[in-house]
Amino acid sequence: MNHEDATSILQQAIALLQRAELLLEELNAKLDCLESFQVLPEWVDKHDAAKIVCKHWKTLDRWRVDPNSTLLEGLHWQHDGGEVVYHVELLKDWYRHRGNPSAHQRTIDSFIASLPSNQPRRSKRKAS
């Protein structure tokens, strides 16, 4: 192997390492985005809700106000002051099961049953 071949191989290796470093930075940025997305609060604004269903927020608004919509006020969305907010988990499930309303209804039933207001009261023990 001559000096020119070794130099060429070294330059190619450096170029590959630089490309790998850029790809790793991109991957880390995407992972950071995913991690931050998973820690969303229970209720989100229309912009974050639109990201959940991968649509524009205006599309989400149209779905919400459609008279035949299965997005229910007080369950999937509600007014929070001057803006509409969406329930993250129910919105995800609604979008996932748009073609299977009975599957989504099971999620709704389970969600409602899990609310603190629907839990049986604990009986207080009398002190002896």
Side-chain angles (χ1 to χ4, degrees), residues 1-13:
M1 181 187 289
N2 65 32
H3 178 68
E4 290 177 7
D5 289 343
T7 303
S8 175
I9 291 172
L10 187 57
Q11 288 173 340
Q12 290 174 359

Side-chain angles (χ1 to χ4, degrees), residues 111-120:
F111 171 75
I112 291 172
S114 73
L115 292 173
S117 58
N118 290 326
Q119 300 306 308

Side-chain angles (χ1 to χ4, degrees), residues 78-93:
Q78 65 185 12
H79 289 281
D80 184 26
E83 72 175 332
V84 172
V85 292
Y86 294 84
H87 190 275
V88 173
E89 292 306 318
L90 290 177
L91 182 63
K92 283 180 187 178
D93 191 77

Side-chain angles (χ1 to χ4, degrees), residues 56-74:
H56 193 276
W57 65 266
K58 287 184 181 179
T59 301
L60 194 54
D61 273 356
R62 278 197 307 275
W63 288 345
R64 180 177 54 81
V65 299
D66 182 342
N68 299 318
S69 178
T70 55
L71 285 173
L72 304 173
E73 183 175 7

Side-chain angles (χ1 to χ4, degrees), residues 36-68:
S36 66
F37 189 73
Q38 291 175 351
V39 293
L40 285 174
E42 188 176 25
W43 294 90
V44 295
D45 68 10
K46 63 186 176 187
H47 299 286
D48 288 333
K51 290 176 189 173
I52 290 170
V53 295
C54 300
K55 300 291 181 188
H56 193 276
W57 65 266
K58 287 184 181 179
T59 301
L60 194 54
D61 273 356
R62 278 197 307 275
W63 288 345
R64 180 177 54 81
V65 299
D66 182 342
N68 299 318

Side-chain angles (χ1 to χ4, degrees), residues 5-38:
D5 289 343
T7 303
S8 175
I9 291 172
L10 187 57
Q11 288 173 340
Q12 290 174 359
I14 291 170
L16 285 172
L17 286 172
Q18 289 172 337
R19 178 68 181 140
E21 185 178 20
L22 288 173
L23 289 172
L24 188 58
E25 287 175 11
E26 286 179 30
L27 182 60
N28 282 332
K30 288 180 180 181
L31 285 172
D32 288 344
C33 181
L34 283 175
E35 288 171 2
S36 66
F37 189 73
Q38 291 175 351

